Amino acid sequence: RVRFATEADARQAVADAAGYAARWAEVSPADRAAMLLRAADAMEADMQRLMGLLVREAGKTYGNAVAEVREAVDFLRYYAAQVASTFDNATYRPLGVVTCISPWNFPMAIFTGQIAAALAAGNVVIAKPAEQTTLIAAEGVKLLWDAGIPREALQLMPGRGREVGPWLTDDERIQGVMFTGSTEVARELQRILAKRLGPAGCPVPLVAETGGQNAMIVDSSALAEQVVRDVLISAFDSAGQRCSALRVLCVQEDVAGQITTMLKGAMAELRMGPPSCLSNDVGPVIDARARDGINRHIETMAAKGRKVHQLWREGDAATRAAVQRGTYVPPTLIEIETLSELKREVFGPVLHLLRYRREDLDQLLAQVKATGYGLTMGLHTRIDETIRQVSSQAQVGNLYVNRNMVGAVVGVQPFGGEGLSGTGPKAGGPLYLYRLLSGRPDAALEKPFGVHASESLAPPTAPGATRTLAEMEAWCAGQPGVALLPRIPFFGVSSHTLAGPTGERNVYQVHPRQAVLCIAPDTSGLLAQLAAVLALGARVVWDGALPAAAELYRRLPSSVQGAITLAPQWQREEFDAALHQGDTASLLALQQALAAREGAIIPLVSVPKNAPVPLERLVVERSISIDTTAAGGNASLMTLS
C-alpha cells in the first residue's frame, strides 16, 4: 500500500533538504562513494527479492528484472568510482537540493541512477518515483539509507506527477531537476524552471532524458536471421516499454518480403502472458491507460488501410484468462508507407514496417532526422561503406550496428539522446556528474573519467575552424584597445573506444552542437563567446538588434563573418544551445524566451564576465556499439590473450 505525499509533506521535505545540504556537501567524496558501494553490494545480495517485486509491480519478466537490478548496481559503482578518483570538495561544488523524477519503465535502474549521481556529486535529493512503481522505489531508498545515506540527504516523495511535481520544482530552494519521461512533461518542467534563476544567478539545471521515434535500417546485405533476432528483442522485449525500443523497421525493398515473412513467423512463437511464468516472453503494459492508448493507435492505423498483424502464441486456459483480465497488448506489426504517418512515439509492443529503395537511403536518413528525435538507431549491414554513411549522418545519441538496440550498459554505452530526446549529458558517461555541480576546476576535463589519459574528450574541430579562429586572433592583435584572446586548445581526439565484451566495439564520441546563440552586452564578451564556439567547430548566431554585435560583425574578417549568422530576429533562427553574459534581468528574459520556443529544449549557459566557457555544455555525446562478429568475423576473437 502507498500513501501519496501531500503538499505539506513536499514543502517540509524541501525545507529539510535545504537545511541539510551544506552538511552533506562537506562529506568527503571517498565517504560518499563508500556509502554508494555498500548500497550496490546490498542490492546485489538482495537480487531475488527485488526481482519478485519488479515482476509483480512493474510487470517485468524475470530476465528483465535481473538486468534492471544489475543496471542499478552498475550506476552506483560507476558514479562512486568517478567521485572517489577525481572529486575534491575544495574545487567540485554541488548544486544543493536536487529533485529526481523517474519513470515506471525502469523503476529501479533509472531511479537509482539519478539518485546515485546526485548524491555522489554532493547534492541532497528528493526522489519522486512514478506512481505506478512506488513500492520498488521505496525498497531502493531503504537500501541506500541502510548503507549510510542520511535520511535528510535522501527523501522519498511518492505521488502523482501532476500533483507532486510542481511542489518539488517551483520552490526557489530546488537548485536542480533530473527527469526521465515524456517530451511534453520535460517541456512543462522547463517552463516552470524558466520563471526563476538559481541561487548563484544562473539557470536552474534541468537534465531531461525523453523518448524517441527509434528506427532500425536493414539493407540487402544483412543476415536475415540476425535481423529478426535483434528486431524481436528491440521491439517486443519489456513489452516495447523502453525509451530505446525499436519503433520503425526500415527494410530495403529488395529483401523486405523475406524479412517480413521471417519476422511474422518469429512473432508467432512469442508467448504473451503473466511475467511470473518463466515460459512467457511478453508481459503486460503498465496500466489500462497505456493499453487503451496503444490500442487506439492500432485501430487508427487499421482504419487508414494499413496492414496490421498481431501474432503470438496463446497459452493454456489460465494464461488466456489472465491476458483477458490484465493490461496486455499483443506484439503488433503495422506496415506503413511514410515515416510522416507517425506523429508521436507509441510506447508499447508495436512495430512499424517501412520499405525503402537503396538509392533513397540518404532521403530516409533525412526523414528520420526530420522527426526531431535523436535517441537510438539500429543498422544491419555487412557493407562498411554503409556503416560510414549512416554513422556520419545519424544524429542520435546511441547507434547500434548489427546487434539489438536496447540494454545500454553503464560506462560501456553511455545512454541519452539529443533534440526532442533529451538535453544531455549521457547517463553512465564521463560528463554526467559535471551537470550536477555549481563549480568545477578548469582542468576537470583534462583526464575525464573512463577515458585514457592520452586521449582528450574535446569535440572534433570542424573543417576550417582552426584557420578561422587563427584569423580572428590575428585580427584582434591588430585592433587598438582589443586584447589578444587566449587560444582555446584544440584537441585532436574525439572518438574513444570504451571497455566492453570481446566481439563488440563500443565507441564514445563528442561532437559540436550545430549552432550556438551568443548574447553579450559588449565586444569583449562577444569575442570570448565567439572564440569558444569557433574552437569547437560550431556556428554562431548573434542578435542583430544589439548594437555591439552589429558593429563587431561589420569589423570582422570575411572568413570569420562566414561562421556567424547576424539575425535581425534571433528568435526565428535555428540553434541548439545558447550562451549568455549580462545582467540577471536579460538572462531571465532569455531563459523564458527559450522556454516558449517549440521543439527541443535549448540548453542555456550563463558565463560571468572573464570566466571560461564550460565547453562540455556545447557538445553532444554519441555512442556507437558494433557487433564485430556479425560482419563476417572478428579477428580479436583469435587473440584472447
Side-chain angles (χ1 to χ4, degrees):
R1 287 180 169 80
V2 176
R3 180 180 70 81
F4 286 165
T6 65
E7 182 173 2
D9 294 329
R11 299 302 184 196
Q12 185 62 51
V14 174
D16 292 345
Y20 194 76
R23 288 184 59 186
W24 178 248
E26 292 174 355
V27 176
S28 72
D31 288 342
R32 297 197 300 263
M35 296 176 198
L36 296 181
L37 292 175
R38 285 197 295 271
D41 292 342
M43 192 173 288
E44 200 166 43
D46 207 14
M47 169 81 76
Q48 292 187 12
R49 187 176 65 88
L50 295 174
M51 284 171 55
L53 190 54
L54 284 162
V55 171
R56 292 197 305 276
E57 189 178 34
K60 298 272 182 177
T61 62
Y62 284 110
N64 291 154
V66 171
E68 175 109 6
V69 178
R70 284 177 174 170
E71 185 175 359
V73 170
D74 286 347
F75 275 126
L76 289 164
R77 291 178 175 158
Y78 181 85
Y79 296 131
Q82 184 172 2
V83 298
S85 62
T86 62
F87 275 42
D88 181 342
N89 283 348
T91 52
Y92 290 79
R93 296 182 294 277
L95 296 170
V97 183
V98 172
T99 293
C100 295
I101 304 174
S102 57
W104 49 259
N105 63 328
F106 283 95
M108 176 151 283
I110 293 179
F111 179 78
T112 303
Q114 290 179 341
I115 293 171
L119 290 173
N123 301 288
V124 292
V125 174
I126 302 176
K128 209 301 284 182
E131 56 264 32
Q132 297 95 330
T133 51
T134 306
L135 298 177
I136 295 167
E139 292 303 312
V141 168
K142 288 177 183 176
L143 286 169
L144 285 160
W145 284 343
D146 291 344
I149 304 293
R151 294 194 175 215
E152 298 88 346
L154 172 59
Q155 300 178 73
L156 180 70
M157 282 290 109
R160 295 181 177 86
R162 293 288 181 183
E163 296 175 1
V164 180
W167 304 334
L168 300 179
T169 54
D170 66 357
D171 194 298
E172 292 185 354
R173 292 167 292 186
I174 299 296
Q175 291 146 13
V177 176
M178 305 172 73
F179 170 78
T180 300
S182 72
T183 304
E184 293 81 5
V185 175
R187 291 299 309 274
E188 179 60 29
L189 290 172
Q190 181 196 22
R191 287 188 283 270
I192 290 174
L193 297 177
K195 298 176 183 177
R196 63 184 175 89
L197 297 174
C202 295
V204 178
L206 170 62
V207 179
E209 191 252 289
T210 52
Q213 199 65 276
N214 309 314
M216 177 187 286
I217 298 172
V218 178
D219 74 4
S220 59
S221 73
L223 186 61
E225 292 82 359
Q226 289 179 339
V227 171
V228 172
R229 175 200 65 187
D230 293 339
V231 167
L232 282 185
I233 296 172
S234 301
F236 304 124
D237 192 53
S238 298
Q241 298 174 118
R242 293 174 180 257
C243 305
S244 56
L246 172 60
R247 307 299 179 199
V248 187
L249 177 62
C250 307
V251 185
Q252 188 175 330
E253 61 181 10
D254 308 73
V255 294
Q258 176 194 10
I259 295 290
T260 303
T261 299
M262 292 183 65
L263 179 58
K264 290 178 181 178
M267 289 174 62
E269 292 300 310
L270 294 174
R271 296 180 66 98
M272 184 173 68
S276 55
C277 179
L278 283 170
S279 62
N280 289 331
D281 305 299
V282 181
V285 296
I286 190 64
D287 56 26
R289 179 182 176 185
R291 176 199 62 197
D292 296 344
I294 297 167
N295 284 334
R296 280 195 298 271
H297 170 77
I298 296 172
E299 293 165 2
T300 298
M301 299 302 285
K304 290 182 178 180
R306 302 296 174 257
K307 294 180 181 179
V308 176
H309 310 272
Q310 288 188 326
L311 304 156
W312 78 100
R313 289 181 65 187
E314 289 195 354
D316 55 23
T319 298
R320 291 196 296 272
V323 168
Q324 292 174 356
R325 290 193 306 270
T327 57
Y328 291 84
V329 176
T332 304
L333 178 67
I334 303 176
E335 300 189 41
I336 60 175
E337 296 179 357
T338 65
L339 197 56
S340 61
E341 295 180 47
L342 305 178
K343 303 303 181 184
R344 58 175 298 167
E345 181 183 22
V346 180
F347 207 75
V350 178
L351 175 62
H352 304 88
L353 176 68
L354 175 67
R355 291 171 167 82
Y356 77 94
R357 297 185 301 173
R358 171 66 190 178
E359 58 267 28
D360 294 336
L361 179 56
D362 286 338
Q363 181 181 346
L364 174 63
L365 291 168
Q367 291 176 13
V368 173
K369 178 183 175 182
T371 66
Y373 292 97
L375 189 55
T376 64
M377 177 183 286
L379 171 64
H380 268 268
T381 180
R382 284 183 280 183
I383 302 174
D384 289 342
E385 180 184 351
T386 302
I387 295 176
R388 288 191 293 268
Q389 180 182 1
V390 173
S391 61
S392 65
Q393 297 184 50
Q395 296 183 7
V396 295
N398 291 72
L399 175 64
Y400 298 95
V401 180
N402 292 327
R403 51 153 291 178
N404 70 67
M405 47 191 281
V406 296
V409 177
V410 176
V412 178
Q413 297 124 9
F415 188 76
E418 54 194 83
L420 292 175
S421 295
T423 62
K426 279 179 170 292
L431 300 183
Y432 198 70
L433 292 188
Y434 297 134
R435 193 67 187 97
L436 301 173
L437 298 172
S438 62
R440 61 158 179 79
D442 294 340
L445 294 183
E446 289 182 0
K447 295 181 180 180
F449 180 74
V451 177
H452 192 273
S454 65
E455 297 177 320
S456 164
L457 195 63
T461 304
T466 303
R467 176 175 51 81
T468 300
L469 184 58
E471 291 184 8
M472 191 187 80
E473 290 178 319
W475 175 84
C476 289
Q479 299 298 310
V482 178
L484 179 64
L485 290 169
R487 175 179 285 273
I488 296 177
F490 286 99
F491 305 100
V493 179
S494 61
S495 294
H496 313 276
T497 300
L498 301 181
T502 301
E504 186 176 278
R505 183 167 182 260
N506 293 285
V507 177
Y508 172 81
Q509 298 179 335
V510 283
H511 294 264
R513 292 188 178 271
Q514 296 182 7
V516 180
L517 173 68
C518 294
I519 302 290
D522 53 36
T523 297
S524 62
L526 289 170
L527 285 174
Q529 293 175 344
L530 178 61
V533 176
L534 290 183
L536 296 175
R539 288 189 55 79
V540 173
V541 177
W542 275 352
D543 183 0
L546 290 176
E551 172 61 18
L552 179 58
Y553 180 85
R554 184 185 62 79
R555 295 163 51 200
L556 287 171
S558 59
S559 61
V560 179
Q561 289 178 345
I564 302 171
T565 298
L566 187 64
Q569 293 181 308
W570 63 262
Q571 294 89 341
R572 298 181 180 179
E573 296 297 323
E574 292 295 326
F575 51 87
D576 52 352
L579 282 174
H580 175 273
Q581 184 188 107
D583 57 34
T584 55
S586 64
L587 175 58
L588 193 60
L590 176 59
Q591 180 171 271
Q592 293 175 357
L594 294 177
R597 287 170 64 100
E598 296 296 326
I601 295 174
I602 304 294
L604 173 58
V605 185
S606 178
V607 184
K609 191 176 182 64
N610 299 323
V613 175
L615 297 183
E616 74 273 15
R617 298 287 309 282
L618 302 180
V619 301
V620 293
E621 304 166 274
R622 293 174 185 162
S623 296
I624 303 176
S625 182
I626 303 172
D627 180 354
T628 55
T629 67
N634 177 12
S636 66
L637 291 173
M638 302 174 66
T639 57
L640 294 180
S641 62

